[in-house]
Each structure stands twice: as C-alpha cells, then as structure tokens.
C-alpha cells in the first residue's frame, strides 16, 4: 500500500477493520466469557441476576470536542454508567458500546475514545465485551453497563427512613465549576483541578464497594453497615436526593455548613458565581449519596451532610431552596450546550 | 391546565414525565426483577451467564420516517437485536433502550415508537427493563438485548465442518426488495408484502428456539439435533455466511436453485432488478442460517441451501459471485440512505 493510501478516516478504513483496530491488544475481564466477533457476547452473572444501566452521550449536548479530548470523553462515558451500577451496590463486570460517527471522523479520534473507554472500564473493574459501529451525522456514544450483586440485595432509592443520616462520598460541585470555567472562557490554567473534574468525573467506586463487598471473612458487607438507600449524583445533589425522598416517602434536610468546599469558593468569586449552586445543583459529578441508619457511622470516605425526616421533598437548613432544579434532558441549559460557540 | 397548554412535543412534556408516559401500563417480563425508576435495572440470569448484543439505529441511515411508521421502527429496532440473541442459541429475556430525539419531536411519534418496542419485545419473549432519554439533533435509537442460554453452550459462528449442510429459516431478499420498491417510488400497493418485510423484519425466533429449548422432556434441545454454527442474516446471506466460513476455517457453497423465490421474481422484473442479488446480498432480513451435521435433517421451518466444504470463502454453484459484498456501516449505499430525498 502506498503512503498516500494509508487510511486516515473511519470511512477510509471501514467498519470491520476499525472494529479490529479498536479491539487489538485489549484484554477482556475474567467475567467476559465470549467477547466481540460473534452475533452477541457472553458475560458471567455468578449471582444469577445482573444489574444493567444505559446512557447515551451526544456531541454538542453532553460533550464538546473543543473542551474534552477523545480519551476524556471515553472515560466520562464509562464512568457515568459504572457509577449507576455501583449505586445499586453491584460490582461492575462489563460494558457494551454503540458508537455512531461521521465517515470523515479521523482515526486518531476513535483511537483516543477507545483508549478512554478501556481505561475507565478497567478502573471500574470490567472490560468492553462488544459493541456496534454505525455512521451518524455527529458523534454519539451509547453505553450499557453490567454489574454483579454477589448475592446481596440491590440498594435502591426507596429504603431511606426518618432518623437516617445522609452522607456523601466524593466531590460535589467540581464538575459544575469546571463547566463554568470552560463556558466563561476563563484561564483554564488557573483552574485545572475543576476543569479536569468536568472532563473526567471520578466516581469513588471503592467508597461503596469496599464496605459492601470488601472482605467477606471480616464481615464487611453484612449487618447494619449497609445504607438504607443509595444513588449517584448525576443530575445534581438536590435533584438526586429528591429521587430518594420521593421513592422513600421521606423528607431530606441538608446542612449547608457541611457542604462548603474551600476549593470552590475562590473560583466562584473569580467567576462571579455561586459555589453553593454548583454544590447543590451541579450534575455529572457521580459522587455517591446514601441514607445510613442512625446507629451506623458512615465508613471512611463518607461525610455526613444532612438527615432524613418525616415529610417530603428536600430542604437546606430547613428551607426549600428556590431555583435549584437539576439536569433535565430537554431543558435549555446543559453540559456542553451551556455555551454554544458564540 | 388550559387546553392550549396540553404538551404536544417531547420538550414541552419533559424528560421525567415522558419516561413515565412511555412506561405507563406496561407489564414487565418475569425475568425483569427491577424495572425502570432506580439507578439501574435488575434482570434474572438463571443460567449464571447472559448473552448481550447492541445495535444503534440512526434516522436517515437505518430508517426514514416517511417510509416507516414510528411503530415499525420500534419493532425493527428490537427485532434486529433479538435476532442476534437467538442466533447465539439464547432465549431473549430483556432489552434496554437509549433514545435520542429533538425537543420538538411530537409525542405521538414517541408513543408509536414505544408501542413498537414493547410489541416486538413481547413477541421475542422479553420486555423493556430500562433506558435513557436524551436530546439529539435527529432520532437515534440504541438497543441492548439480553438472553439466557438455559444451560446450553452458545452456538457460535466457528463450529461449521466440511460435510455440514447449510440451511436457512425465514425469508431471504424480501427486505431488500421492499427497499427497492420504496427507493424506486414504485406503487407500494402492488408490493405490500415486501414493503412490509422491509419495514418490520420478522425473524423466525421459534425456528431456532423450539429445537434448542422446546421441550426438555422429549429430548429436544439435546443430542445431534443442534447446528454446528448459527448466525442471523443482517448484512446479507453471502456476507454473513462469509463470517461463518472465516470463523470456522471452511468454504461454503450455495446451490442457486435452492435460493429462488417465486414471490420476488415478478417484482424484480417490474423494477428491472435482480432477484438473486436481493437474496444473496440483501441485509436486514434477520432470517437464520446454520451449518447442520450431515447426519441430521434440519427441523421444520428450515430448508437446505448449500453445503460446507474444505477451503475458504463463499461460492454459488462453485463460483465466487462478483459484486456481492454485504452491508458496511461506512459504505455509500445503505438502507434508508439508499434513496436520499431527491
């Protein structure tokens, strides 16, 4: 093949060769019994059940190629799905990825995306068991993630009871702050930590999985040291706790003093923004929030931010906070589209 | 709410209310242990493993709203995924659906799509266990399908052996003929059967599942009455048999006289087209093709179309057929885009 004929785009390489390229050198997780290459994959479900969740990410709506590298986008796509699996109390095992892109997409973009997908899948404890590759007008990624409960009951949103402690593992508001920095066209170098948090969420998987499944011999994962309800923060703290409050038939009251973050306050001042709004309503953080029985001290990595009361809805210091709705797919403002190129 | 405020579009109704609307009145299959409404769903996998496949369908590329009803599109999206599950020898159990659409999408379109998704899921033996709903510039559907092997080994593409009989269950070329009728702007009323076959493929799920899992007491599903290799016809008969030939390290020779279809020949004459090309290279049919041991008579619903020989590749009457490549995602011609609006 002459130098000029080296394929540079998805269309030049073609579907089947690109699938081979995306899978070359990858090592499947132990639970993937049959990987790509047949009509379907085969994944182990030792529990006799499997947890499944799916999320679609659309270019311009959920990510922008001028704000995030392909590798970042791949990591983020897997992380937000893995966080949903862990938020049920399950250990991630495998992922499948459907990818749509234009024929003139550079191969380097797909290479970076695939590296990010595999990197985060490995970090979460699984691998990419299969997928689909189609032509579409813009980049669209649809991820489906699987997890195994290892014999435990799923930890749903509906078990919170009055008297429980609400605690959080992971960061809050960092992704929203990073988005605000990017949208304002501010100097990214001054705010690298929050911009990185927006580009690649880092769900603290181990903060959930260690106490649920850590060491069967020591009794971890049994007894009262399990939350009554658990979710990940994808739409915003108030919105996601609202789902727990609604599903459990309770009220949740947050303590604003427990939610301050000294990292965010100077950034908010620099951008003339409200750090509390980032913390309470910022989505895409993929921290975890749980309702813990009153007699239990939340394990390391968790800190208390509120409590469960009789009633309904979510309050902050006893008051309903106005204008703090979370992410809504058909709302006007969103992650990437919040600042369309001007 | 006043009459004028009745929501008519996806954006007016909003994400969460639309998800409720799509799920209202639906009954989950027995294997869906926890359906929509939490961070993830929970699906039974009694086998201790599950089969999984995913396919993305993009408006203008895989379907056209002026050629297919929303209900047809929903059925087709599920059917092509369920066929992949069955082509592994597994019984479909559940599906998850990620859906992207513009905010101004009429609610009637989503209602029809959801009805089609549920209808075909039920026909295949499962239900829609969960999903995602996002905004995107055009309609895009990403389906992930699951199946249970009921203790059997998966029937892959790699087990064909010289001496096997190649047999097919289901129709060949009808979907391609229907596409040709639509693309030519021909009188649809004259050719309703093939147009319907293009709009909604009808994989003969039972033709596979009955002999594999039909009646354990009678011995069905055991012994030699199992094919060495199995696939569904999604990219075209020659292309998909090519995957079996390649994975099994064999040559497959087809008998053209066994592939004629008296329904297609007059349609081909009317359109000045080649019925054999539809049969050999038409995709989206989702018939099943299998390599059966020579000593086995393929069960009812299957008919022999060729045989497995030593060598490689696929031939027709002993000869390589020119210009009969199958579907390629980044190729120029395709299902819906084959006739872009002129």
């Amino acid at each position: 093949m002459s130098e000029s004929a080296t394929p540079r785009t998805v269309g030049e390489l073609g579907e089947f060769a690109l699938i081979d390229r995306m899978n070359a050198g990858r090592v499947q997780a132990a639970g993937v019994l049959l990987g790509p290459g047949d009509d379907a994959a085969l994944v182990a479900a030792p529990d006799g059940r499997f947890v499944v969740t799916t999320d679609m990410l659309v270019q311009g709506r959920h990510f922008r190629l001028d704000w995030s590298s392909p590798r970042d986008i791949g990591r983020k796509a897997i992380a937000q799905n893995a966080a949903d699996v862990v938020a049920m109390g399950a250990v991630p095992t495998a992922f499948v990825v459907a990818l749509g892109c234009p024929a003139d997409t550079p191969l380097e973009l797909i290479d970076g995306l695939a590296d990010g997908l595999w990197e985060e899948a490995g970090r979460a404890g699984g691998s990419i068991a299969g997928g689909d590759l189609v032509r579409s007008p813009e980049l669209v990624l649809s991820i489906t993630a699987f997890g195994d409960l290892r014999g435990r009951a799923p930890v749903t949103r509906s078990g919170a009871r009055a008297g429980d402690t609400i605690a959080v593992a992971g960061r809050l508001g960092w992704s929203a702050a990073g988005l605000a920095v990017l949208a304002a066209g501010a100097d990214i170098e001054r705010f690298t930590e929050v911009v990185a948090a927006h580009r690649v969420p880092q769900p603290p998987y181990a903060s959930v999985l260690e106490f649920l499944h850590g060491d069967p011999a020591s009794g971890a994962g049994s007894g009262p040291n399990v939350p009554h309800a658990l979710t990940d923060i994808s739409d915003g703290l108030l919105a996601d706790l609202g789902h727990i409050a609604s599903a459990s038939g309770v009220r949740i009251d947050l303590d604003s003093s427990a939610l301050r973050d000294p990292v965010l306050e100077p950034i908010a001042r620099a951008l003339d923004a409200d750090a509390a709004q980032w913390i309470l309503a910022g989505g895409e953080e993929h921290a975890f929030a749980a309702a813990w029985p009153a007699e239990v001290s939340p394990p390391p990595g968790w800190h208390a931010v509120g409590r469960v009361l009789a009633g309904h809805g979510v309050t902050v210091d006893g008051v309903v906070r106005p204008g703090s709705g979370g992410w809504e797919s058909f709302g006007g403002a969103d992650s990437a589209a919040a600042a369309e190129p001007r």
Side-chain angles (χ1 to χ4, degrees), chain A:
Chain A
M1 185 182 281
S2 70
E3 181 64 24
S4 63
T6 302
R8 297 179 184 280
T9 67
V10 167
E12 287 167 18
L13 184 60
E15 174 185 0
F16 297 104
L18 181 54
I19 291 171
D20 288 345
R21 179 177 169 126
M22 292 175 76
N23 286 314
R26 312 287 184 186
V27 178
Q28 291 289 347
V32 176
L33 306 175
L34 192 65
D38 216 294
D39 292 298
L42 186 63
V43 177
D47 180 87
R49 307 164 295 175
F50 62 94
V51 158
V52 54
T53 182
T54 191
D55 266 336
M56 182 179 280
L57 292 85
V58 179
Q59 182 178 353
R61 180 76 184 160
H62 303 98
F63 60 85
R64 282 173 50 159
L65 288 166
D66 54 338
W67 283 0
S68 299
S69 72
R71 186 182 194 118
D72 289 345
I73 295 163
R75 285 197 60 188
K76 177 176 172 174
I78 292 292
Q80 69 184 57
N81 279 278
D84 278 326
V85 165
V86 171
M88 297 302 284
V91 181
T93 53
F95 304 83
V96 295
V97 178
L99 170 62
C101 65
D104 64 0
T105 304
L107 290 173
E108 290 73 24
L109 192 159
I110 304 296
D111 290 343
L113 197 62
D115 285 347
L117 292 165
W118 278 89
E119 182 180 336
E120 189 68 21
R123 192 174 167 268
S127 61
I128 314 292
D132 191 27
L133 181 60
V134 303
R135 194 159 94 182
S136 68
E138 66 285 309
L139 201 56
V140 52
L141 265 166
S142 190
I143 312 285
T144 306
F146 310 106
D148 191 82
L149 286 165
R150 298 195 182 171
R152 302 192 62 87
V155 187
T156 66
R157 296 172 177 169
S158 59
R161 302 173 207 166
D164 286 355
T165 301
I166 297 293
V168 168
R171 303 175 306 203
L172 293 175
W174 286 44
S175 177
L179 174 61
V181 168
L182 289 164
D187 179 7
I188 292 172
E189 297 305 316
R190 285 179 60 199
F191 308 112
T192 50
E193 280 184 312
V194 293
V195 170
H198 177 70
R199 286 174 172 154
V200 182
Q202 297 195 15
Y205 308 122
S207 296
V208 171
L209 297 179
E210 275 177 11
F211 70 77
L212 279 180
H213 303 289
D215 182 1
S218 73
S222 63
N225 195 22
V226 168
H228 285 152
L230 175 63
T231 193
D232 82 310
I233 309 300
S234 49
D235 295 338
L237 180 64
L238 291 174
D240 288 304
L241 289 179
H243 296 150
I244 286 185
S246 169
S248 300
V250 297
R251 172 184 156 204
I252 291 174
D253 186 52
L254 295 172
D255 173 3
S256 65
S257 68
L259 286 164
R260 294 215 177 97
D261 186 332
V263 172
L264 297 184
E265 286 167 11
I267 303 173
R269 280 195 298 274
L271 298 182
D272 197 17
D274 178 4
Q277 183 69 10
W278 291 339
I279 290 166
L280 291 167
E284 300 193 298
E285 199 70 59
H286 305 294
F288 297 102
W292 295 86
E295 67 274 19
V296 165
S297 293
W302 291 78
H303 68 283
V305 299
R307 61 198 177 125
V308 179
L309 306 169
H312 64 273
V314 181
T315 51
V316 180
D317 302 332
V319 177
V320 174
R321 186 182 161 93
S324 45
W327 170 264
E328 209 283 353
S329 274
F330 296 93
D334 64 3
S335 169
E340 296 282 347
R342 282 152 300 185

